[in-house]
Every structure is written in C-alpha cells, then in structure tokens.
Amino acid sequence: MTSPAPLTLERSFARRIDLTSLQLFVAVCELGSIGRAAEREFIAASAISKRLSDLESTLGISLLYRHARGVDLTPAGESLLHHARAMLYSLEKMQGELSEYAEGVRGHVRVHANISAIVQYLPEDLGAFARLHEGIKIDLEEHLSHEVVRAVQAGAADLGICHVSEDDTAELQTLPYRRDQLALVLPQQHPLASQPSVAFAQTLDEDHVGLHTHSSIYRAMYQAATAEGRSVRLRIHVTGLDAMCRMIDNGLGVGVMPRRAFELMQAGIGRRLAAVDLSDDWARREIRLVARDFSTLPVAARTLVQHLQPPEAVEAPAGAATA
C-alpha cells in the first residue's frame, strides 16, 4: 500500500486547520487563561475549550498545560503560537491590501532595500514613479542586503534593491540599478582629510564608527582588514548613516559610507566633516534590482522595474533563471 503524496498531506492539513480556532488559541496564549480569553472574544469558555481540544486532536499533539491558575504553553504550543501569529498577521495585511484595491489602488509592489539605496537614490526615484503611477502603491522596508535577498527568495518581497554577490543570488535574477562609491568620513582637521583618496588599510590604526556587523559595508571592511592580517578597531555600532556622522562629528572615530549619502546629509552637520574616497576596488559597488523572476512579476512590479532601470543599463536579467 503506497503512502499519500506529500502534497496531498499538505492540502489535507491546511483544510483541517480552522482559522477561528487559531485566533482563539492566540488569545488564550496572550491572556494565559481560557476564561479571560472568553471575556475578550465574547464567546463561552466551554466553546473555546472545545475548539482547543479539537485543534489538539487534529494536530495530534498537546498544545497547553492546563492548571488551576490558567494555561501554559507546551513546546509544540510555542511553535504553533509563532506560526499562528505570522499567519494571522499575513491575513490582516492581505485584507488591508484588498480593501485598497476597492478604493482605487491598481497594484501593490512590496520592495525591500538596503540603507544605501534608500538614502541615496530611492526617495527621488520612487517619488517620480508615484507621480506617474498614482494608482500603484509601494510598500518599502529597509533591511540589510542579505535580509533583502532572503525576503525575495521567501516571497516576502516582490523586488529587492541592494548590493549582492553571486553566492547571494544563485537562485535569483538581478538587473543593474545604480553605482556608489564608498568614502572615509572623518573630521576636517584629520591628517587624511587632505588626501585625494585613501586605501582602507591606512585607516586600520583609527577607531571606527561602524554599521551593523551583517551590513555589506562592514563585511567588506572586515574582509579587507583580514587580508591585511589586521582587524577593524570598531569603537561603536550604529544603525544609520546619520548617527554615524554625528558620532564622527563628536570625536568617536572615522567611518565608511557611500559618498553621495554623506553629501546629502552634509547640510545637517555643517562643514565640520570631510569625505575621502576609498581607493580599494571593493569600494566601487553596484546596487542591483533583485527578483525571483522578472518576467513573472505582477504588472505593477514590472512597471516599477522599468522605471528604476537606468536607460544605459538595459540588459537581460543575470541569474540562475536566465539559462
């Protein structure tokens, strides 16, 4: 006798899960009591208890430890709570998007981008796109480059905009977007400030103000320092380029950021800081558009991709799906 195919089992499982029961399960977990959940959800406690018992029977596992003071989660219950919250959040987001279609929105594009793209280029580019396509809504989230790639792979984003490597995008397609130049940001009076350019190795005796250790800039700095048999003297981590400039301005070290980003922020910090281009090859970078398959994107997303591609960079998407 052959066992059911995995896809058949997955469909059967999905049909047996009741969304109302999941909502009540989450309520019980949040309040720690079936009685309190019943009061909040305006439903009899016995009805909630029956639904939870049926859910446990369906899954074949115990989800809750029941005691006189309320309930506690079993390890399986903790896992289900994590997935149930994610599922219910996705349903709420879907409802919100669909309601906007009823109000005249003609398309949604979910975009994840790294900080370099967001600070340097996307405000103007997305602003121009919004003026041309008022019916298309763009949901933009900032993430580290490797998180952007992961979101596209998982389907959490239609389009990614970030710095990528071949290993990062083995199963994805990419197209050119913009280029940027990394520069060393430092006080005007610093000895290196008068140089036309500087090699990153020359900065390794300096204290550094750095971005998150998983950011593409920090990873490139770490690899360059390792190649010199040295390490980066990281004095402080910051989460944004504006915070980096403020730290440098207050004497906490030097930092590496895209030159154009520094120039855009310079008005807010006066002329107390300078930017000197890094001469290393890795400091000249390309920001790319990333998708699972550009040809299968929804019309709204394809329209945005066409808008973001520079005219001189029209090319076939690079990546595994272009064979």
Side-chain angles (χ1 to χ4, degrees), residues 10 14-15 35 91 99 127 204 226 231 233 248 257 277 287 310 320:
E10 290 172 6
R15 288 168 182 161
L91 286 171
S99 66
L204 293 176
T226 301
S231 60
R233 287 173 46 178
I248 297 169
M257 69 167 61
D277 286 348
I287 304 174

Side-chain angles (χ1 to χ4, degrees), residues 105-107 109 121-140 300 303-305 307-308:
V105 172
R106 295 194 299 275
V109 188
Y121 304 114
L122 285 176
E124 293 80 9
D125 288 349
L126 295 184
F129 180 82
R131 289 188 290 273
L132 291 171
H133 306 278
E134 294 181 357
I136 297 178
K137 180 179 177 181
I138 298 171
D139 293 325
L140 175 64
T303 303
L304 177 60
V305 169
H307 176 83
L308 294 177

Side-chain angles (χ1 to χ4, degrees), residues 13-24 51 55:
F13 177 78
R15 288 168 182 161
R16 286 184 286 128
I17 296 297
D18 180 81
L19 288 176
T20 300
S21 295
L22 285 181
Q23 289 175 312
L24 294 174
R51 280 185 173 273
L55 183 59

Side-chain angles (χ1 to χ4, degrees), residues 13-323:
F13 177 78
R15 288 168 182 161
R16 286 184 286 128
I17 296 297
D18 180 81
L19 288 176
T20 300
S21 295
L22 285 181
Q23 289 175 312
L24 294 174
F25 171 73
V26 171
V28 169
C29 293
E30 290 175 345
L31 298 173
S33 163
I34 291 176
R36 287 194 291 272
E39 291 176 6
R40 192 182 81 176
E41 301 297 324
F42 302 102
I43 186 173
S46 59
I48 292 183
S49 184
K50 176 67 164 58
R51 280 185 173 273
L52 294 182
S53 295
D54 290 345
L55 183 59
E56 289 178 317
S57 177
T58 296
L59 298 174
I61 49 177
S62 295
L63 301 171
L64 300 168
Y65 297 120
R66 294 164 174 82
H67 49 76
R69 297 183 307 278
V71 298
D72 291 319
L73 286 166
T74 67
E78 291 177 355
S79 178
L80 178 62
L81 177 61
H82 168 75
H83 291 292
R85 280 175 167 161
M87 183 183 300
L88 295 173
Y89 172 76
S90 295
L91 286 171
E92 289 177 3
K93 191 171 182 181
M94 179 177 68
Q95 181 185 20
E97 289 188 5
L98 292 176
S99 66
E100 289 177 342
Y101 280 107
E103 296 169 1
V105 172
R106 295 194 299 275
H108 276 86
V109 188
R110 299 166 301 165
V111 180
H112 287 199
N114 68 359
I115 190 172
S116 295
I118 289 177
V119 170
Q120 296 182 97
Y121 304 114
L122 285 176
E124 293 80 9
D125 288 349
L126 295 184
F129 180 82
R131 289 188 290 273
L132 291 171
H133 306 278
E134 294 181 357
I136 297 178
K137 180 179 177 181
I138 298 171
D139 293 325
L140 175 64
E141 295 184 18
E142 179 191 315
H143 293 279
L144 298 172
S145 289
H146 75 279
E147 293 172 344
V148 172
V149 171
R150 190 185 308 152
V152 174
Q153 288 172 329
D158 301 307
L159 181 66
I161 307 175
C162 61
H163 302 97
V164 298
S165 67
E166 291 184 8
D167 292 338
D168 290 335
T169 58
E171 299 177 358
L172 301 174
Q173 293 183 348
T174 70
L175 287 168
Y177 173 51
R178 297 293 184 95
R179 295 180 183 275
D180 67 1
Q181 168 69 49
L182 294 181
L184 181 71
V185 176
L186 66 180
Q188 283 278 9
Q189 66 273 21
H190 193 285
L192 294 176
S194 60
Q195 300 295 315
S197 64
V198 60
F200 182 70
Q202 295 176 258
T203 76
L204 293 176
D205 290 328
E206 305 283 343
D207 287 334
H208 275 260
V209 178
L211 293 173
H212 193 286
T213 53
H214 294 296
S215 69
S216 59
I217 291 178
Y218 183 80
R219 287 193 294 175
M221 291 166 56
Y222 174 82
Q223 291 168 0
T226 301
E228 296 288 331
R230 304 281 301 278
S231 60
V232 180
R233 287 173 46 178
L234 192 67
R235 187 169 185 180
I236 188 169
H237 280 294
V238 294
T239 57
L241 301 178
D242 53 345
M244 180 187 290
C245 285
R246 292 190 62 197
M247 294 293 180
I248 297 169
D249 192 30
N250 282 278
L252 293 175
V254 300
V256 174
M257 69 167 61
R259 168 173 278 281
R260 188 167 187 270
F262 172 76
E263 293 170 348
L264 290 170
M265 290 186 290
Q266 197 170 24
I269 56 176
R271 297 287 173 177
R272 297 183 299 273
L273 300 182
V276 181
D277 286 348
L278 290 177
S279 59
D280 306 75
D281 290 340
W282 56 265
R284 292 178 287 279
R285 310 185 303 167
E286 187 174 28
I287 304 174
R288 295 187 72 86
L289 308 175
V290 183
R292 286 192 285 185
D293 187 340
F294 287 102
S295 66
T296 62
L297 286 174
V299 172
R302 293 203 305 272
T303 303
L304 177 60
V305 169
Q306 292 170 358
H307 176 83
L308 294 177
Q309 266 203 282
E312 68 277 9
V314 177
E315 64 178 52
T322 61

